[in-house]
């Protein structure tokens, strides 16, 4: 499989890439982008004071990034397949740098939200990176490289909270965004130096109507889900947005089925392997985010509640950071299982580990080490699943569609996290206890959310049973500068 890489580059083409450097640079870029998700969490409670704006308005500093990421991920993935994945990777990192600079120079709400939108537009870096790996890394190293790239999401998220909390505690809040801009410049420089551009492109005309339809459908759906608790689940605004999503998304689907060059190839998406992998991704995104909502609160609630552990945000972030490192360490184990048994087995194994981690946390949550242990077990399971899902997707789609297909899979995980936030918010708001005149989430409320997270992981396991059982195969990598054959990849059946 790797002998193709040994062939000298044809005249006029770039030299063969260095696979280890490619993996390292792409993983770093993924970590930098995932940092953006937790970057503002330490300062969210202070934003109303810092920006002289109502808390309901400053919450858009988080919501705007979520919406921008959801819209950008499938669109940029498709553009990567058409115009070049490295080119769109560069554009995405530039968006991150631009957004960070706008935020760093802002002293009012509107510029901050604009900057956060730009940061959200960089979210396609990870799926683009996974697709680039398919074009540049030898087949025997692809499973491990993909697992490392996928794990960068967890590493960035886990390291982002303590890093951001430390900066916010010791310096002006603008420093958060100056640091983000500097990391973006570092990632961009390394991408330009080490990442080759594949000639495996589809070309053609961009589906502008399809992208606008998908954007409208996603924005209305995610707004209804993410803001429903604030606006009221039965309010006219929430119900209206939900109804709009139910109208727009089916209409968008009909358009995509008729389009000659659709933004999302729904016929490919309907393949059994792709369909059930994406459905499992929604469940796993839900399950993983439940942990992010529960564990930091348990660590930070006052010890006088009887179940809180009384730690600062910085301490809580440091205690949860090992889960990200466990995800990265498990990428090698995930890759070994994928090579031996296929990514379906890896996905199912990871889902069971996640469910076991939540079960462990329901029983053990009274000591700091209990929480750290449970988070590491869940992180290990997530590391397994996040390495397996891209392998399943790439084995079922044509090499020219990997950018769009991986981006759609990433979007499915994001939808799962949005639903998790809404469901957990409802549960914790209903199951409360009085503490000094304030209503705090109760211990049973946290246990209920953890039980739901375990259930979502088990749903992912059951969905994975429907994925074709034979080992998925991914076509070998082509030398840099040479296109892969445009023949369909093995479906895993």
């Amino acid at each position: 499989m790797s002998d193709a890489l040994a062939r000298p580059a044809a005249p006029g083409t770039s030299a063969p890439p260095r696979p280890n450097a490619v993996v390292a640079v792409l993983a770093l870029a993924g970590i930098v982008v995932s940092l953006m998700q937790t970057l503002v969490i330490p300062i969210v409670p202070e934003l109303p004071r810092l920006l002289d704006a109502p808390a309901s308005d400053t919450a858009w500093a988080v919501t705007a990034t979520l919406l921008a990421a959801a819209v950008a991920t499938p669109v940029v993935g498709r553009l990567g397949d058409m115009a070049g994945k490295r080119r769109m990777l560069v554009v995405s990192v530039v968006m991150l740098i631009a957004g960070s600079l706008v935020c760093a120079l802002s002293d009012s709400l509107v510029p901050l939200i604009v900057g956060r939108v730009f940061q959200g537009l960089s979210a396609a870096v990870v799926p683009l990176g996974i697709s680039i790996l398919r074009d540049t890394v030898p087949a025997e190293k692809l499973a491990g490289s993909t697992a490392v790239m996928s794990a960068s999401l967890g590493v960035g998220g886990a390291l982002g909270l303590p890093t951001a909390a430390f900066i916010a505690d010791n310096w002006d809040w603008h420093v958060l965004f100056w640091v983000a801009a500097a990391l973006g410049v570092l990632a961009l420089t390394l991408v330009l130096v080490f990442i080759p551009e594949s000639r495996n492109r589809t070309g053609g005309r961009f589906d502008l109507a399809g992208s606008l339809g998908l954007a409208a459908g996603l924005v209305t759906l995610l707004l209804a889900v993410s803001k429903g608790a604030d606006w009221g689940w039965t309010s006219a605004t929430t119900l209206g947005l939900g109804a709009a999503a139910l109208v727009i998304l089916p209409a968008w689907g009909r358009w995509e089925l008729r389009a000659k060059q659709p933004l999302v190839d729904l016929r490919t998406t309907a393949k059994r392997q792709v369909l059930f992998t994406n459905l499992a991704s929604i469940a796993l995104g839900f399950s993983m985010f439940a942990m992010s909502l529960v564990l930091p609160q348990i660590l930070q609630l006052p010890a006088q509640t009887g179940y809180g552990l009384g730690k600062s945000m910085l301490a809580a972030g440091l205690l949860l950071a090992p889960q990200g490192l466990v995800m990265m360490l498990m990428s090698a184990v995930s890759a070994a299982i994928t090579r031996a048994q296929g990514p379906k087995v890896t996905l199912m194994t990871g889902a069971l580990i996640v469910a076991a981690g939540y079960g462990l946390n329901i029983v053990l949550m009274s000591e700091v080490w209990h929480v750290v242990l449970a988070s590491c077990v869940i992180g290990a399971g997530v590391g397994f699943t996040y390495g397996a899902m891209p392998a399943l997707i790439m084995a079922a789609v044509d090499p020219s569609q990997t950018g769009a297909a991986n981006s759609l899979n990433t979007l499915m995980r994001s939808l799962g996290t949005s639903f998790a936030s809404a469901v957990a918010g409802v549960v914790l708001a209903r199951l409360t206890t009085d503490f000094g005149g304030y209503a705090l989430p109760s211990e049973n409320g946290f246990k209920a959310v953890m039980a739901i997270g375990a259930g979502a992981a088990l749903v992912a396991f059951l969905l994975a049973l429907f994925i074709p059982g034979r080992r998925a195969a991914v076509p070998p990598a082509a030398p840099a500068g040479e296109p892969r054959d445009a023949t369909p990849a093995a479906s895993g059946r």
Side-chain angles (χ1 to χ4, degrees), residues 56-295:
S56 59
D57 291 340
T58 58
W60 285 97
V62 176
T63 306
T65 306
L66 167 69
L67 298 178
V71 172
T73 299
V75 171
V76 174
R78 175 62 180 148
L79 288 171
D81 288 335
M82 294 174 59
K85 302 177 186 73
R86 176 183 183 268
R87 179 176 298 174
M88 295 313 301
L89 180 68
V90 169
V91 170
S92 296
V93 179
V94 169
M95 289 296 100
L96 185 150
I97 297 170
S100 300
L101 290 175
V102 171
C103 291
L105 296 170
S106 67
D107 285 308
S108 60
L109 181 61
V110 172
L112 180 69
I113 292 176
V114 170
R116 291 290 289 165
V117 167
F118 277 107
Q119 287 184 324
L121 295 176
S122 68
V125 163
V126 171
L128 283 172
I130 292 171
S131 302
I132 289 171
L133 291 176
R134 186 182 190 181
D135 293 340
T136 57
V137 173
E140 65 271 15
K141 294 184 177 180
L142 185 58
S145 301
T146 301
V148 169
M149 185 68 201
S150 297
S152 68
L153 279 170
V155 173
L159 298 181
L161 183 58
T163 302
F166 177 75
I167 292 174
D169 285 347
N170 291 279
W171 292 285
D172 180 77
W173 64 275
H174 293 88
V175 175
L176 288 170
F177 297 102
W178 287 116
V179 171
L183 290 173
V185 170
L186 173 62
L188 177 63
T189 302
L190 294 174
V191 166
L192 292 173
V193 172
F194 290 101
I195 305 302
E197 180 64 271
S198 170
R199 292 187 178 180
N200 184 32
R201 307 176 191 175
T202 62
R205 179 178 296 178
F206 179 68
D207 182 13
L208 179 60
S211 65
L212 293 175
L214 180 61
L218 288 174
V219 168
T220 52
L221 174 63
L222 290 173
L223 273 178
V225 171
S226 62
K227 304 294 286 185
D230 296 331
W231 294 336
W233 292 107
T234 58
S235 69
T237 302
T238 302
L239 294 177
L241 287 169
L246 291 176
V247 172
I248 294 171
L249 290 173
W252 169 78
R254 287 195 295 272
W255 170 271
E256 292 297 284
L257 289 172
R258 295 174 182 174
K260 292 183 178 179
Q261 295 178 315
L263 176 73
V264 177
D265 188 343
L266 294 180
R267 292 179 177 85
T268 298
T269 304
K271 286 183 178 180
R272 194 167 131 197
Q273 181 157 319
V274 178
L275 175 63
F276 281 99
T277 300
N278 282 334
L279 290 175
S281 298
I282 296 175
L284 286 165
F286 187 107
S287 185
M288 177 183 176
F289 200 65
M291 168 186 66
S292 302
L293 291 169
V294 168
L295 299 188

Side-chain angles (χ1 to χ4, degrees), residues 3 15 41 59 80 83 89 98 134 156 171 176 233 257 291 294 309 342 391-392 427 431 440 450 458 474 486:
D3 57 347
I41 289 178
L89 180 68
R134 186 182 190 181
W171 292 285
L176 288 170
W233 292 107
L257 289 172
M291 168 186 66
V294 168
L309 297 173
L392 286 163
V427 172
L431 298 176
L440 297 179
M450 287 187 280
L458 293 176
V474 178

